[in-house]
Amino acid sequence: MHHSNRANTRAARTRARTRDIDQIYEDIQKLRSPTDSRPVHEHVDSVVAKPPAALDPDLPGLGQFYCIHCAKYFISQDALTVHAASKPHKKRVKELKVEPYSQTEAEAAVGLRTDNSRKPKTFHEGIFSELVVA
């Protein structure tokens, strides 16, 4: 379907930008217990954010009710419970169950690779080897 230029510029605004999937995935990784050996994407839906030690008056609900999957604060536990049953929350949890791509995977996909197994080049094998005339 064709969209107007106005729709594209509204979509590109960063004013109401939420955290990206890879950032949320890292947050979930930090909350995981060190004894848990499962990959992060296998227990995404069981992770619950801990309430902060100090209350923050600038956040909704004083920062006590946070959905880590959607990176949103809610005003009450009831609002968080309603949100957890909503379609956008369920979509976000489903997206988080897939491990995000890393930079090394992206480089490997285009044929670039990091080979750290090589020995360091000597001076003659290095950059100036093509300048030496035999």
Side-chain angles (χ1 to χ4, degrees), residues 38-109:
R38 295 180 298 167
V40 176
H41 61 274
E42 286 186 8
H43 63 91
V44 164
D45 40 357
S46 64
V47 174
V48 178
K50 300 171 191 163
L55 302 178
D56 190 354
D58 295 331
L59 295 173
L62 301 175
Q64 292 181 319
F65 311 105
Y66 181 69
C67 174
I68 193 164
H69 305 101
C70 301
K72 289 183 179 180
Y73 289 95
F74 293 93
I75 198 159
S76 66
Q77 182 62 41
D78 293 336
L80 180 60
T81 307
V82 168
H83 163 76
S86 69
K87 195 171 185 178
H89 175 78
K90 290 177 182 177
K91 282 184 180 181
R92 180 59 67 99
V93 170
K94 188 175 181 180
E95 288 174 356
L96 285 168
K97 286 185 179 181
V98 177
E99 188 173 357
Y101 289 109
S102 65
Q103 184 63 33
T104 54
E105 288 175 326
E107 289 173 355

Side-chain angles (χ1 to χ4, degrees), residues 4-43:
S4 66
N5 191 20
R6 180 179 176 201
N8 292 335
T9 54
R10 281 187 176 183
R13 285 186 187 157
T14 58
R15 177 178 47 191
R17 184 163 171 80
T18 59
R19 293 175 62 89
D20 289 325
I21 295 293
D22 55 340
Q23 294 171 325
I24 295 171
Y25 194 84
E26 289 173 5
D27 291 345
I28 292 173
Q29 219 168 9
K30 290 176 189 173
L31 285 177
R32 190 171 70 155
S33 69
T35 59
D36 195 356
S37 61
R38 295 180 298 167
V40 176
H41 61 274
E42 286 186 8
H43 63 91

